[in-house]
């Protein structure tokens, strides 16, 4: 095998792969199966929409991919590493290296300024110049005039732009976005979506986007549709 073909093969290795993923939780009414036998893999740089009715398991799936939650059975490989082989600290480390997450509810820390919120993931990995890098990303999302504002002093759209800057500042290979425009008016939502796709192009970030919006889903290269915890359709 030549060095070239080896490089190519490496480049095509999935950034994330799941096999027979199952998630059950115990409730007062017994065992609830949220995900059953989910299988897929995603290549670096791809854009993938995850769709499905409310309650179909989309957020649960994203939480598992990020290593924020553990599956009942099945395998998740992030950048070739099986998450099951890691303890919580190990998963947190891998996540800090590879994954950015954007939530519907922004999830900024209220007592930190916009710039401090964006600096946090850099500080976790002891990156150089966190202040400068955070500032550059906030400028990129059009918030250079809001660096020292606290989340409560920002509009919903501005808060989500801070959250996007925070998710991208470490240049993660994988960005997971769970209905990122769900709490925004449609115009503000469009701005956020454009930013997501622009950053995907600029930084070659793999994008996994949970959305109810069919038009938006069809902008992604692939679509995974969940129904009652299984993949109903993949296009
Ligand atoms: N920790 C939990 N305990 C009990 N039920 C849960 C838990 N997490 C999720 N569920 C249930 O699992 C189903 C899937 O949830 P979720 O992944 O949030 O769906 P989606 O994001 O597609 O709306 C829902 O019916 C939800 O109520
Ligand atoms: Mg959800």
């Amino acid at each position: 095998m030549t060095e070239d073909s080896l490089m190519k093969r490496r480049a095509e290795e999935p950034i994330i792969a799941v096999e027979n993923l199952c998630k059950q939780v115990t409730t007062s009414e017994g065992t609830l199966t949220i995900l059953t036998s989910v299988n897929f893999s995603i290549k670096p740089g791809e854009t993938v929409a995850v769709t499905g009715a409310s309650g179909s398991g989309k957020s649960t799936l994203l939480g598992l991919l990020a290593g924020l939650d553990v599956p009942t059975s099945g395998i998740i490989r992030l950048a070739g590493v099986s998450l099951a082989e890691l303890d919580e600290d190990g998963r947190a480390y891998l996540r800090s290296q590879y994954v950015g997450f954007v939530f519907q509810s922004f999830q900024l820390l209220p007592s930190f300024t916009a710039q401090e919120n964006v600096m946090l993931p850099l500080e976790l990995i002891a990156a150089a110049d966190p202040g400068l890098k955070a500032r550059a990303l906030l400028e990129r999302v059009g918030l250079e005039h809001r660096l020292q504002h606290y989340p409560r002093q920002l509009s919903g759209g501005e808060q989500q732009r801070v959250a996007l800057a925070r998710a991208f500042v470490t240049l993660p290979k994988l960005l997971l976005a769970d209905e990122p425009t769900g709490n925004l008016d449609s115009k503000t939502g469009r701005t956020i979506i454009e930013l997501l796709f622009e950053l995907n192009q600029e930084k070659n970030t793999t994008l996994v986007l949970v959305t109810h919006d069919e038009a938006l889903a069809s902008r992604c290269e692939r679509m995974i549709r969940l129904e009652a915890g299984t993949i109903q359709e993949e296009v």
Side-chain angles (χ1 to χ4, degrees):
M1 183 176 267
T2 65
E3 199 170 317
D4 248 21
S5 60
L6 190 65
M7 296 269 284
K8 211 172 261 167
R9 190 189 279 189
R10 284 240 176 88
E12 283 168 6
E13 222 172 73
I15 177 70
I16 192 124
V18 308
E19 278 170 45
N20 280 323
L21 198 62
C22 294
K23 178 67 180 176
Q24 296 179 323
V25 292
T26 310
T27 70
S28 53
E29 281 138 51
T31 302
L32 175 70
T33 301
I34 304 179
L35 295 171
T36 334
S37 303
V38 170
N39 293 281
F40 61 81
S41 71
I42 297 174
K43 285 190 231 130
E46 274 194 302
T47 52
V48 181
V50 177
T51 64
S54 174
S56 57
K58 305 180 299 295
S59 294
T60 303
L61 177 62
L62 249 63
L64 292 171
L65 297 183
L68 293 168
D69 192 5
V70 288
T72 306
S73 61
I75 299 171
I76 303 172
R77 280 196 192 84
L78 175 59
V81 180
S82 168
L83 295 183
E85 285 162 23
L86 305 171
D87 60 11
E88 202 160 318
D89 285 349
R91 291 200 307 276
Y93 178 76
L94 200 66
R95 187 164 61 241
S96 69
Q97 296 289 317
Y98 287 99
V99 187
F101 211 121
V102 181
F103 303 88
Q104 181 173 350
S105 53
F106 322 136
Q107 307 265 13
L108 299 175
L109 294 179
S111 59
F112 284 62
T113 64
Q115 188 174 17
E116 286 165 350
N117 266 282
V118 180
M119 285 165 68
L120 269 181
L122 292 169
E123 286 166 344
L124 282 176
I125 57 170
D129 302 323
L132 283 178
K133 284 176 183 152
R135 191 194 173 114
L137 236 293
L138 282 164
E139 281 171 9
R140 173 64 190 79
V141 300
L143 288 178
E144 58 281 355
H145 56 309
R146 294 285 184 271
L147 300 179
Q148 304 312 324
H149 282 57
Y150 289 89
R152 66 184 144 74
Q153 301 171 320
L154 299 169
S155 70
E158 287 171 337
Q159 288 185 57
Q160 195 60 307
R161 281 189 277 160
V162 175
L164 270 184
R166 180 180 60 181
F168 273 101
V169 76
T170 55
L171 300 181
K173 294 220 166 29
L174 176 65
L175 187 92
L176 304 171
D178 192 356
E179 303 193 48
T181 62
N183 281 330
L184 303 173
D185 63 74
S186 56
K187 183 162 174 281
T188 311
R190 279 197 295 277
T191 314
I192 294 293
I193 292 300
E194 290 316 318
L195 268 172
L196 266 179
F197 280 97
E198 280 168 29
L199 289 164
N200 154 262
Q201 291 280 308
E202 274 170 37
K203 322 275 190 202
N204 196 34
T205 312
T206 315
L207 177 63
V208 179
L209 174 64
V210 171
T211 180
H212 282 298
D213 182 340
E214 292 288 329
L216 176 55
S218 62
R219 274 185 67 176
C220 294
E221 292 159 325
R222 283 169 60 198
M223 184 154 84
I224 293 173
R225 185 188 297 282
L226 283 179
E227 203 166 286
T230 59
I231 293 186
Q232 215 267 326
E233 189 185 342
E234 193 174 343
V235 288

